[in-house]
Amino acid sequence: MDKYRPAIKIDDPVGVMATFSEGNPGALRVLMELGRSRPSSITNVILDLDDMNIRGEQIWVAYKDFSKGDIDKFITSVTERNLEMINIINRECPDHKAVKSGYSDRSSDERNSNSN
C-alpha cells in the first residue's frame, strides 16, 4: 500500500533528516553517517531516495540488510538504483513501495492513491 509521504524542503537540513527518517532511529543514523562521511554527496543521495520513494525503515533495511552496514555500498546502490536493493526493501517494508525512479515526479493525488 502506498501511503502519503510529505514533500521534502531541501533547504532545511534538520527537516530533511526528520522527514526522511520518519522517526526510525536506524534511518536517522544512516543519514547522519552519510552527512559525516560524504557531506558533498548527501543532497544527491537524498534526492535519489525521494525519487525512489525510500524513507524511514526502508533506508535502514537498505543499509543494514542489503549494504551490510557499508555506507559506500549504500550510496552506490542508491545512486545506481540497484534493483536487488529495491526488491529487498519492498519485501521487508510492504507499506511503501520503493521504485527505481519517478516517485518525486508524481502529483500529490497519484502519491495518495494505491496505484504504482
Side-chain angles (χ1 to χ4, degrees), residues 7-23 27-28 31-32 42 46:
I8 59 169
K9 295 177 184 171
I10 203 72
D11 61 338
D12 175 15
V14 173
V16 168
M17 296 288 195
T19 299
F20 271 83
S21 67
E22 293 186 331
L28 183 58
L31 295 170
M32 291 175 63
I42 192 165
I46 292 289

Side-chain angles (χ1 to χ4, degrees), residues 8 20 44-55 78 81 97-106 111:
I8 59 169
F20 271 83
N44 288 333
V45 172
I46 292 289
L47 292 173
D48 285 337
L49 290 169
D50 184 52
D51 193 46
M52 297 169 72
N53 193 35
I54 297 174
R55 296 186 185 183
V78 170
R81 297 165 186 252
K97 183 177 181 187
V99 296
K100 189 165 183 175
S101 66
Y103 186 80
S104 59
D105 295 333
R106 297 167 80 184
R111 288 181 184 201

Side-chain angles (χ1 to χ4, degrees), residues 74-87:
F74 173 78
I75 292 167
T76 299
S77 299
V78 170
T79 58
E80 293 179 356
R81 297 165 186 252
N82 184 293
L83 287 176
E84 185 181 351
M85 177 189 71
I86 292 168
N87 289 334

Side-chain angles (χ1 to χ4, degrees), residues 15 17 23 26 72 74 88 107:
M17 296 288 195
D72 292 323
F74 173 78
I88 288 171
S107 71

Side-chain angles (χ1 to χ4, degrees), residues 55 79 84 93 95-96 112:
R55 296 186 185 183
T79 58
E84 185 181 351
C93 308
D95 286 345
H96 296 284
N112 291 328

